[in-house]
Structure formats: C-alpha cells, structure tokens
Amino acid sequence: MDHATEQAAITAVLAGDRDAYRPLVERYQAGLIAYAYGIVGDEAAAHDIAQEAFIAAYRRLGQYKPAYAFSTWLYRIARNLAYADLKQHTRWVPYDETLADVSAGDDTPEELDTAKRAAELHRALGKLRPEWRSALQLYYWEDKSYQEIADVLDAPVNTVRVWLSRAKEQLRSELI
C-alpha cells in the first residue's frame, strides 16, 4: 500500500466509510504486534497493544497530519501504549525466558541449529534497552529510515544512530 492509497483510505474513513480502515489494519497489524512484543516481551500484551493502537488511531484519525507517514504515526501510538503498559505491569520483562526447548522433537540437525540460534538472538535482544530494541526492530524488520525511527521514538536522528550502533555492539558481544 503506497502513500497515496493510504491517504485515500484515510480520507474515505473520515468521510464515514468505516470499512476503508480495514486495509490499513491488514497492512500494519503483523508489524505492529511484533513491534509491541519487542517492547513488552509478552505476546498477549503485544496483541492487545496493537489492537488498542488501531482503535486509538481510528478515533484520532482527524488529528493525523500527512507530514508523517501513517505508519510512523501509528507506531508512535503503539510505542506510547507499550511503554505505559510496561509501567503498569512490571511483571513483564522483555523477552521472557520461556522459550521452547530446542532439543525436543523430531527436528533435523539443521532445524535444531536454526532454532538454537534464534533462541540465542531472542535472549540477546531481550537484554537490550527497550529504545535500542525498538530502533533495531524499526530499522531492520520494518525498513524504516533513521528519520522515521526518530519520529516514532520521539528522539533526534543522531540519537537513533547512537542507539542502533550501541544495540549492534551489544548484540555482537552477546552472540560471539
């Protein structure tokens, strides 16, 4: 979905066509859940946060300014909800340690090795500061530019660069 299509959908929703919001939800749902999960480390909470973000965005769609990409605005809403959720639920620690046992099952050695590496990466990501992890997710998984990440995280672009650099450095030391 390109920017013009998103803007047309937003215009249609503001004109009263509630069904025009569906393509926006379908476009960003998986990424938003993954992003929220990266902050709170709890899958159920991530789904709830994503749903709340879509509802909040829908209700405030009249306040959306096309100077930012819709996704940037939506991710910023989700970030704020996720951080608020973290403050309320201190029992959630980023990336819980309840990963599946990678030695169980009928997997091939290659699948076990891949699962083990994924588990190691998962644990290493969990040790990062939330804003570093968010910056990594937005950059590598959501393909956002430094400026878009700065807009989502409400931080200067140079700070985003530093966060990404430090996050990569910490991951390197954790995984080597």
Side-chain angles (χ1 to χ4, degrees):
M1 176 178 282
D2 63 7
H3 183 69
T5 307
E6 283 183 357
Q7 292 307 308
I10 291 167
T11 301
V13 171
L14 291 173
D17 181 4
R18 294 178 5 180
D19 290 335
Y21 196 64
R22 180 183 311 269
L24 295 170
V25 172
E26 290 170 352
R27 165 71 175 94
Y28 295 111
Q29 186 171 26
L32 205 60
I33 291 169
Y35 176 66
Y37 180 79
I39 296 172
V40 299
D42 181 274
E43 189 173 348
H47 281 271
D48 291 345
I49 290 165
Q51 182 175 0
E52 288 177 41
F54 282 117
I55 291 168
Y58 181 83
R59 289 182 178 154
R60 293 187 265 173
L61 204 52
Q63 298 172 11
Y64 167 68
K65 304 287 187 249
Y68 293 116
F70 176 76
S71 65
T72 300
W73 184 66
L74 180 64
Y75 275 73
R76 182 180 265 189
I77 292 170
R79 181 210 59 181
N80 292 341
L81 289 168
Y83 284 173
D85 195 68
L86 274 178
K87 288 178 185 175
Q88 288 181 330
H89 300 96
T90 55
R91 71 181 185 280
W92 290 334
V93 289
Y95 290 83
D96 61 25
E97 296 297 325
T98 59
L99 295 172
D101 181 6
V102 295
S103 62
D106 297 327
D107 296 327
T108 66
E110 294 82 16
E111 291 171 329
L112 287 174
D113 187 45
T114 300
K116 183 179 177 185
R117 283 194 311 250
E120 289 170 0
L121 177 60
H122 185 78
R123 284 187 196 97
L125 284 168
K127 293 179 180 180
L128 295 176
R129 292 175 52 182
E131 60 273 13
W132 296 4
R133 191 170 47 247
S134 293
L136 276 176
Q137 284 183 292
L138 291 168
Y139 187 76
Y140 288 106
W141 285 277
E142 298 300 321
D143 202 29
K144 300 279 187 197
S145 69
Y146 287 149
Q147 183 61 56
E148 290 171 317
I149 296 167
D151 292 340
V152 169
L153 298 179
D154 199 23
V157 172
N158 284 336
T159 300
V160 169
R161 284 189 175 103
V162 169
W163 288 346
L164 285 168
S165 175
R166 289 181 180 166
K168 289 187 280 188
E169 183 178 311
Q170 184 173 336
L171 284 177
R172 209 174 291 120
S173 70
E174 292 283 337
L175 296 172
I176 293 178

